[in-house]
Amino acid sequence: MSSSESQYAKNHFGLNRWILTYAGLWVPDTKSKIAIFFFRVYAAIVFLFVNVWFTSTEFISIKDTKHDWELLIKNINFALTHMMGAFKCVFWFVRGNRLVNIIVRLQDERWHYEAVEDFNPGAITQDAKRTGIKYTFAFFMLAHMTLSSSYFPAFFTAVFRPHYVEDANGNLTFSQSLPYLSWIPFAYDTPLSYIIAILYQAGPMWSYAYSIVGMDTLFMNIMNYIAAHLLILKGAFRTIRQRCVRRVAERGGALEIREGLANSPELDAEMHREMRKCVQHLQTVINSCEELEFNHKYLTLGQILATLFILCTSLFLVSTTPVASSKFAAEGVYMIAMGFQLVLYCWFGNKVTVRASEVPDSLWHSEWLQAAYSFKTSMLITMIRMKKPLYLTVGKFAPLTLTTFVAIIKASYSFFAVLKKVND
């Protein structure tokens, strides 16, 4: 492997794998059968208790809040979020291997290129890796801030300032509502039982955070990696001749004939091989994008619809909550987290579309004038192919771009305005 190739980023999806492993989804990299067995047991417990049992209890509690408009909205919001988390877990068990196959194809070392002039593919992959880690960590922290802003105040209140109410006989009874509404299979009418109820509820909530963040950022990071490959291909197409000239010169071969009006046969053959490699690389990227779109489009549609409803109703809850209260902070952080989740989908989907549209221009600047007829033919066919936009969609209804993001934000605000007017 050349020094330029050694600069390529390694373990691009390491943080995503770590999060998904703790979520009980991604099997850890180990040859120990005992470790794998315990992980399987852990994954089964998490899935059955969190995604099946606990999610269903959240919907059961909806009937208890039907007379309280704000509690009902909040309950539906979290039930929708966690239902999408359960769907993502099921999706991983059914089609997760297809996402892994896409990652493996994109990480193939056949698609490595040497650096030349201002083209440094290793630096592109390093930058893409840093971007993936940054956005993954940001979403991970937002999810934890959402839960912490709700559970820590409730926990400290129960420990240091428990709330009691006096009945008609003068007896004091502990009374404190849980941060989120879900059916609890035992009474929590004492500070100790209330703390146990918080732990019973917080465990699944943190598990949801890992599975949702892990799945969403994995999807985001695959789009990020596809965009990085398209950026590399732009440079690879543009510098085909320079890289081939360097190789032929290092072998001591002839570069041009007829006073520079045409390439030598040796240089033409090298450029043809390099063009073939670049085209195969581009086709692999296109196929990976199309496969990601085919497998993820309906999950994306469900997430976008859920986010549309959640953003609208979260804005309503924030607008009706006192600014100085801890509840306002919890609702605000939750709304920001859901908005950031939408940004991840649309921003990186848009990046794929934009990078793909720039490939034909890079081909045009590939110093093709002296190349052979076969090279020019391949170049033209590739440019024509790339006229067709490359994008992911929201269930085939709309492209996953910034335009769609703006449309969702506008729709959320419109629905919020209607909801606010009806409530007033």
Side-chain angles (χ1 to χ4, degrees):
M1 181 178 292
S2 68
S3 59
S4 59
E5 288 183 345
S6 65
Q7 298 172 7
Y8 272 72
K10 303 296 183 183
N11 200 18
H12 188 91
F13 298 88
L15 182 56
N16 305 102
R17 292 183 62 175
W18 178 82
I19 294 173
L20 288 172
T21 297
Y22 276 88
L25 298 177
W26 197 305
V27 180
D29 245 350
T30 177
K31 295 181 180 179
S32 171
K33 293 183 178 180
I34 297 177
I36 296 297
F37 171 77
F38 281 110
F39 176 81
R40 299 287 188 192
V41 172
Y42 167 73
I45 292 173
V46 168
F47 181 77
L48 292 175
F49 176 67
V50 176
N51 297 291
V52 177
W53 167 255
F54 193 82
T55 303
S56 63
T57 63
E58 287 187 291
F59 282 96
I60 291 173
S61 65
I62 290 178
K63 64 180 178 60
D64 299 326
T65 59
K66 59 185 178 182
H67 299 300
D68 189 320
W69 184 237
E70 292 187 13
L71 283 177
L72 177 63
I73 289 176
K74 184 175 181 179
N75 199 25
I76 293 176
N77 275 1
F78 280 93
L80 271 178
T81 300
H82 300 152
M83 183 181 69
M84 286 305 306
F87 284 162
K88 288 170 185 176
C89 291
V90 172
F91 171 84
W92 176 261
F93 290 128
V94 175
R95 293 190 173 181
N97 62 315
R98 300 186 184 185
L99 299 185
V100 174
N101 289 338
I102 293 173
I103 292 171
V104 170
R105 285 201 302 270
L106 292 175
Q107 290 180 330
D108 195 329
E109 292 188 0
R110 289 183 300 162
W111 315 131
H112 287 192
Y113 303 90
E114 66 270 28
V116 60
E117 297 181 355
D118 62 339
F119 172 54
N120 189 338
I124 293 173
T125 61
Q126 294 286 355
D127 183 63
K129 181 179 178 179
R130 285 192 295 269
T131 299
I133 291 174
K134 178 175 65 177
Y135 281 93
T136 298
F137 186 73
F139 192 33
F140 184 76
M141 292 307 298
L142 273 173
H144 281 68
M145 286 172 61
T146 301
L147 297 175
S148 300
S149 63
S150 296
Y151 278 103
F152 286 166
F155 178 82
F156 287 122
T157 299
V159 173
F160 300 107
R161 297 179 60 187
H163 181 258
Y164 291 91
V165 294
E166 187 175 351
D167 60 17
N169 299 321
N171 298 319
L172 294 177
T173 305
F174 175 81
S175 177
Q176 187 171 331
S177 59
L178 290 168
Y180 300 129
L181 296 173
S182 62
W183 180 76
I184 305 293
F186 54 86
Y188 46 94
D189 51 3
T190 65
L192 179 59
S193 62
Y194 178 82
I195 292 172
I196 294 173
I198 282 183
L199 295 176
Y200 172 87
Q201 192 182 72
M205 292 294 179
W206 254 273
S207 179
Y208 285 128
Y210 276 81
S211 58
I212 292 171
V213 171
M215 288 299 298
D216 284 342
T217 57
L218 180 66
F219 178 57
M220 172 274 293
N221 217 4
I222 293 175
M223 291 190 290
N224 175 41
Y225 204 41
I226 288 173
H229 273 271
L230 289 168
L231 185 58
I232 290 171
L233 276 164
K234 284 175 55 183
F237 279 124
R238 180 174 54 82
T239 60
I240 278 182
R241 193 171 193 279
Q242 293 97 309
R243 289 182 289 110
C244 291
V245 164
R246 175 192 289 181
R247 292 177 203 162
V248 173
E250 288 174 352
R251 295 197 297 263
L255 298 176
E256 298 173 341
I257 59 175
R258 289 186 296 174
E259 299 179 353
L261 296 178
N263 295 330
S264 69
E266 188 176 358
L267 180 55
D268 272 334
E270 188 68 32
M271 288 182 66
H272 178 75
R273 283 193 293 269
E274 190 65 14
M275 171 61 83
R276 185 177 180 181
K277 172 186 174 179
C278 290
V279 170
Q280 289 175 342
H281 183 188
L282 178 60
Q283 192 59 52
T284 299
V285 172
I286 293 172
N287 291 342
S288 298
C289 188
E290 291 176 345
E291 186 174 347
L292 182 64
E293 152 70 10
F294 175 79
N295 288 292
H296 216 279
K297 59 181 181 291
Y298 296 123
L299 189 61
T300 303
L301 175 61
Q303 182 60 64
I304 295 299
L305 292 177
T307 302
L308 175 63
F309 176 83
I310 291 168
L311 285 177
C312 164
T313 51
S314 292
L315 190 59
F316 171 77
L317 292 175
V318 168
S319 69
T320 58
T321 304
V323 177
S325 65
S326 60
K327 183 180 177 183
F328 179 86
E331 295 294 345
V333 172
Y334 177 62
M335 185 177 67
I336 292 171
M338 296 307 298
F340 189 77
Q341 183 183 38
L342 180 63
V343 168
L344 293 182
Y345 274 66
C346 295
W347 178 267
F348 288 94
N350 187 79
K351 183 181 282 192
V352 170
T353 301
V354 171
R355 292 275 172 81
S357 69
E358 295 170 347
V359 170
D361 186 62
S362 299
L363 274 161
W364 180 256
H365 291 90
S366 62
E367 298 186 28
W368 51 269
L369 191 61
Q370 297 168 277
Y373 178 79
S374 60
F375 180 92
K376 297 173 183 176
T377 302
S378 297
M379 183 185 77
L380 287 172
I381 292 173
T382 305
M383 292 175 72
I384 292 170
R385 164 62 186 87
M386 294 310 294
K387 283 185 176 181
K388 180 182 178 182
L390 184 66
Y391 51 74
L392 295 104
T393 69
V394 182
K396 293 295 184 184
F397 287 102
L400 203 57
T401 61
L402 291 179
T403 303
T404 302
F405 171 77
V406 173
I408 293 169
I409 295 299
K410 287 182 177 179
S412 296
Y413 184 79
S414 298
F415 294 149
F416 156 72
V418 172
L419 192 62
K420 184 73 171 173
K421 186 175 182 180
V422 170
N423 184 67
D424 292 341

